[in-house]
Amino acid sequence: MSPMPTPGPINEAPLRIEICKDGEDLARHAAGLFVALAGKALGARRQFTVALAGGRTPRRMYELLTEDHYAYQVVWPAVRIFWSDERCVAPDDGRSNYRMALETMLSKVKVPPGNIHRMKGEEDPASAAASCEKDLRDRFDGPPRIDLILLGMGTDGHVASLFPASPALEERESLVTVSRDPEGLARLTYTLPLINAARAVAILVSGEEKAPMLRRVLGAGARDEGLPVQRVRPADGQLIWLLDQAAGSTLESPHA
Ligand code: 6PG
């Protein structure tokens, strides 16, 4: 078994790109980041707010966080869990991001149920987005600033449920809105103003099918095409890319 990274001093660089050996290594780095940022937030503000991502990449990270090595380092009762997006389906639907996080992590750690703020995918999408936004605003003094927002990236450059050319990308006022995926399913999603207000945003990317898009957005000669992932630019926070070798190995010279 390879050694698990123990969170050390936090690297506070505004942009970090880490290429991990494989999916397992990526999950360990992501779990280590969660633990480190939780400790930092708890020290400063006595709570840690985190928005989880759906998709396949963060699953292993969530599982690892339930293992003793990581779980013992987190003060779970002080963690508040949100989601960066959700499919408009019931919480027990196999496509639900809430269900994935519940099964892999939340049912196994001591986060109080009142600290789990799921997006209500089963309700009318516009009202669910509005109540999700109200819930967020109620939790923060001033504009919501989440400690860690986790995102994945699609092969088309989407993040959360902000798809290329979606009107949701242009939202400037609302923090949570309704969008639609390419298959036509309604989704609830954080908007760019909320994402870019975070203290830290981590984009987890794995698999060789992501390599072409990563080259397009991070490779030498990358230009701003206005793709959703390129519009993730925390105004006063960190942007951390965690890539596996398959996704990131062909980046010649990563740059901002
Ligand atoms: C979701 C997210 C989506 C996801 C990316 C990457 O599926 O819930 O909306 O943005 O993070 O599509 O997904 P993978 O990790 O499965 O590649």
Side-chain angles (χ1 to χ4, degrees):
M1 203 165 82
S2 49
M4 284 185 263
T6 301
I10 301 176
N11 176 342
E12 310 253 5
L15 174 71
R16 276 163 60 189
I17 301 173
E18 293 183 17
I19 302 182
C20 308
K21 206 168 55 199
D22 52 24
E24 184 69 11
D25 194 34
L26 186 160
R28 287 183 177 159
H29 274 80
L33 179 73
F34 183 107
V35 169
L37 292 182
K40 183 180 168 202
L42 283 164
R45 290 174 296 282
R46 299 169 62 170
Q47 72 166 355
F48 176 54
T49 51
V50 56
L52 304 179
R56 113 198 105 75
T57 310
R59 283 190 76 98
R60 182 65 186 141
M61 166 199 182
Y62 300 162
E63 288 170 358
L64 284 178
L65 282 167
T66 71
E67 294 183 2
D68 291 353
H69 174 79
Y70 296 100
Y72 285 164
Q73 299 184 69
V74 177
V75 183
W76 291 102
V79 176
R80 277 197 186 275
I81 304 278
F82 300 89
W83 275 262
S84 48
D85 76 328
E86 183 58 281
R87 292 169 180 77
C88 291
V89 296
D92 59 354
D93 189 291
R95 296 165 292 176
S96 161
N97 287 346
Y98 164 76
R99 177 175 163 174
M100 190 273 272
L102 184 70
E103 290 179 352
T104 52
M105 174 168 69
L106 300 176
S107 56
K108 300 170 190 165
V109 292
K110 292 188 164 42
V111 182
N115 284 12
I116 298 178
H117 303 265
R118 75 175 178 87
M119 291 174 150
K120 304 259 172 68
E122 70 279 26
E123 294 183 355
D124 164 67
S127 345
S131 58
C132 181
E133 174 158 345
K134 179 174 183 318
D135 186 34
L136 264 171
R137 290 193 189 275
D138 288 348
R139 299 289 148 203
F140 291 83
D141 299 324
R145 203 160 176 225
I146 294 175
D147 291 308
L148 171 63
I149 295 185
L150 295 170
L151 298 173
M153 183 193 79
T155 52
D156 59 355
H158 78 256
V159 287
S161 289
L162 297 170
F163 295 90
S166 161
L169 266 178
E170 308 309 327
E171 183 56 55
R172 292 287 169 272
E173 303 296 325
S174 302
L175 305 180
V176 183
T177 193
V178 180
S179 72
R180 211 162 270 284
D181 66 24
E183 287 75 48
L185 181 69
R187 305 253 198 137
L188 301 169
T189 185
Y190 279 8
T191 61
L192 289 168
L194 179 57
I195 293 172
N196 286 332
R199 289 196 157 79
V201 177
I203 309 181
L204 278 50
V205 187
S206 67
E208 63 182 346
E209 70 279 12
K210 304 287 174 65
M213 179 51 74
L214 275 177
R215 265 200 309 277
R216 225 164 118 184
V217 300
L218 288 180
R223 59 188 179 83
D224 187 358
E225 301 176 62
L227 290 162
V229 70
Q230 293 179 304
R231 296 170 70 168
V232 176
R233 292 184 194 129
D236 182 23
Q238 277 190 295
L239 176 59
I240 303 148
W241 288 85
L242 293 179
L243 319 174
D244 74 356
Q245 189 80 28
S249 61
T250 59
L251 292 178
E252 288 150 25
S253 58
H255 65 88

